[in-house]
Amino acid sequence: MDRLQGSPILRRKPQSYNTNTQQIYHNIIGQRHAIITITTIFFAIVLIANNNASSSLQNNNRSEKITDTILVDNGIGNKQLPLSSYSILPKKIYSVIGLESSGTQFVSKLIEDALHTGPYREGSRPCNETCNDGTPKCENMKQISEQHSCDESSDILVQHFSLPWGGSCHLHPHPTIVDVVLPSQCTRDQVNQTEIEECNAMTRDIWGLELNGKPFQYPTRYQLDITANKKWYDSQGVEQYFIIVIRDAKISYLARHSHCNSTHLRKQEEEVGTQLIVEAINTFILQDVNEEVTNKTLYQWVASQYQEHSDGTDRRMLSALPSRNNVVVVSYESLVKLGGTYVKMLYDALGIDSNIIPDIRDSNEKYLNKTLQQDQYYQTKLHTHNNKKRNGTGWDFAVMGFPKCGTTFLLKVLKAHPEVEMGKRTLPSGAILEEFCQIHNKDGVEETLSWLQNTTSTASANSRTIKYGIKCPTMVRAMSAIDNLIKMVDHTRLVVGVRHPIKFFESFYNYRVLGTYNQNWNETIPKPHELVDGTKHWRDVAVPLGRFDIYLKQLAKTSLNQNELNEMLNHESLFPKNIMPNPYKVFIYTVEQLQDKNKTRQVQFQTDLQHHLGLETSFLDFDEVPKANVQDSTPYKEHIDICDSQYADIRDKLVQQGRKSRDWIVNKFIMSSDVVVSDKDYFSSVLKEWGEDPCGSSGDK
């Protein structure tokens, strides 16, 4: 059986600590026992050469029966682990780790509850302290142990670490790197012969030391080598999972202020902890994919895992979290934004069958508000960063859809506003296109910056602050545009329009009929029934697109349960579905609100939209703005009247879709603090009609 041979538990301190000492002191017994000193340790970690590590089985069945091997199902392929010779080791360990204050305790509790294991083990602390000498230290250790009284006899253990773990930096600076954390029985007085013999065998096998019943004591504050620890437990037949939690670098740094108020020491600890995370990702997740991350590229890599699909396209990867060989990377921000959806993804990656979804609250804001004042160094750096993003380097707002839901009307309103400059592009023919859908492109950021730099707006001659906006009705279904916005600015305001799905389909279809003749597209116009089943669209026209909630869910403004997620992914095969967490506020309206005859409500709507966009001046009276795109397509034979009896089945489907969209938008979407709606009661009453056929043949049942 392959094991780590001769690997010291305390490695040399990395160069970032700038230490000149060549002695590492390893306190094995503590104050109650003798101190053993290991000097001049220059041993390298001997990596395990497991010939079976790359083998792959053709099924995903997990072996619950212990035979000669344990089959580990990690969602990518199974590998064989040897049967452990140590009876005190759990069969499975879920170790949650990350930089201090990155959300590791929350994730540990989440997994603990999902598995019903009882309290998780806190680092290297024993589950049950057995000392009985009556000393204050012993009593303190017992009190600490009671707070994390995990079950040593359980086959499944949840364990929590942070990088570094324990103590504080001002009392314990330059924490040592620990290679292996032993099972709980070995970190307290062993109470029976089996524990004594097996703990002796482990420490002798790894470090050439014997405990003889005494507890193995770790440094008060240390960094855990994820790679070495996992390799040792793997070699013992333990199914060792590591859940690595990554949090926004700036927030994580600020949150660690309470653990380490020295910016110098904090940055050193962060550098070492990040390097240990990087080593684990490169070793276990990226080992076979010709890719490698570094301390500098780690956070970009984590973000890219939710943008790059397995087919190489820029899509949000929803099927799994970044994982391989039982190492899973969790994004704290994605966990907060996606809620239950993300928790289910984590359960799937870990092979956990649970419906427990905790209450998830974002704790980032308090650090931005409080700790920034305490940490002037990082406050200045963050302020500079935000200024760079906000100084005219992106769009202030975007009218993003849906098609035929008043977006062109709003474009006219906005163009007439003295504080607004709308993005546009010039076609090769010299014609001006007043939609800026280049934001979808891979070089959408560059095209945006180029337009903003070259535009000759009235801003230079106007004392008012100019807001720059775009109209692109396809943004709401294709999240590549949102992804590009995120790369530029964090303050863009989004505007989304909806309407009755039946009227939406009729208007969109007839608009494309008109375009076919006016623009000489020279193509066959499909019949409406060809656009029903979700396998074909005609220039974006398709019945499934009238299921507005499917595409709004991509904005991640509310958590999705597993059924909602599956429904979104499988709704149709026409357009990629991508969850795209973002910091943007969304203003949602119905076309009826643009045409509201109730003057009081209309004025309030215009005021609410004005405030959402951050404009000082009121809009023109909407009644004075001509309607847009109202050319008549009736002269053409392909024009449809959706109320014709031949389209009754299409209307039935659109009404069914309308009910589902209505219920989700009213009951979930507009309840989000990131979503703004003018006169929620009126808005909801309009959407209630989506359960009725305006042609009179069907309705809510």
Side-chain angles (χ1 to χ4, degrees), residues 95-111 120 122 158-163 165 243-247 332:
S95 298
V96 181
I97 195 166
L99 297 180
E100 282 181 312
S101 300
S102 60
T104 51
Q105 288 187 328
F106 177 83
V107 175
S108 298
K109 187 66 170 65
L110 185 156
I111 297 173
Y120 60 80
E122 183 59 59
V158 180
Q159 191 170 20
H160 167 259
F161 292 100
S162 58
L163 292 171
W165 181 89
I243 300 91
I244 300 174
V245 183
I246 305 293
R247 192 177 189 179
Y332 175 84

Side-chain angles (χ1 to χ4, degrees), residues 336-372:
V336 170
K337 184 60 67 175
L338 300 184
T341 301
Y342 197 86
V343 172
K344 284 292 187 181
M345 292 163 64
L346 176 59
Y347 289 166
D348 289 343
L350 298 176
I352 296 175
D353 183 13
S354 175
N355 292 318
I356 294 178
I357 305 296
D359 182 24
I360 301 174
R361 299 180 181 180
D362 190 357
S363 62
N364 282 354
E365 184 176 356
K366 66 181 180 183
Y367 291 112
L368 285 173
N369 292 339
K370 179 180 178 181
T371 317
L372 275 174

Side-chain angles (χ1 to χ4, degrees), residues 7-18:
S7 175
I9 190 165
L10 299 182
R11 300 199 313 192
R12 242 180 344 133
K13 295 176 182 178
Q15 292 181 355
S16 61
Y17 284 140
N18 296 319

Side-chain angles (χ1 to χ4, degrees), residues 215-320:
F216 192 104
Q217 293 192 0
Y218 289 87
T220 302
R221 187 170 176 83
Y222 61 80
Q223 305 262 23
L224 177 64
D225 187 324
I226 303 169
T227 303
N229 191 86
K230 177 169 170 56
K231 282 180 175 291
W232 186 82
Y233 275 96
D234 281 354
S235 76
Q236 304 308 312
V238 176
E239 194 174 353
Q240 164 89 91
Y241 285 85
F242 262 105
I243 300 91
I244 300 174
V245 183
I246 305 293
R247 192 177 189 179
D248 178 88
K250 293 177 283 295
I251 300 295
S252 181
Y253 179 92
L254 295 173
R256 289 195 297 280
H257 185 278
S258 60
H259 298 281
C260 186
N261 56 16
S262 165
T263 58
H264 173 66
L265 293 176
R266 201 186 327 168
K267 291 184 70 176
Q268 285 187 342
E269 290 182 350
E270 174 179 302
E271 182 181 352
V272 175
T274 302
Q275 183 59 38
L276 293 170
I277 289 173
V278 164
E279 288 178 3
I281 291 173
N282 287 335
T283 300
F284 298 109
I285 297 181
L286 300 180
Q287 59 179 347
D288 296 324
V289 296
N290 296 320
E291 186 179 359
E292 190 173 85
V293 296
T294 66
N295 284 34
K296 292 182 178 180
T297 63
L298 171 64
Y299 291 93
Q300 294 94 319
W301 176 82
V302 171
S304 74
Q305 296 310 293
Y306 304 96
Q307 298 168 5
E308 182 177 353
H309 195 262
S310 58
D311 62 6
T313 59
D314 288 337
R315 295 169 53 185
R316 290 278 158 171
M317 186 167 62
L318 299 176
S319 58

Side-chain angles (χ1 to χ4, degrees), residues 29 31-33 129-142 189 214-215 217:
I29 306 301
Q31 295 181 4
R32 290 178 291 156
H33 310 290
E129 179 54 55
T130 56
C131 65
N132 289 300
D133 57 15
T135 62
K137 180 177 180 179
C138 177
E139 295 305 311
N140 181 60
M141 291 171 67
K142 283 186 173 181
D189 287 319
K214 300 304 180 181
Q217 293 192 0

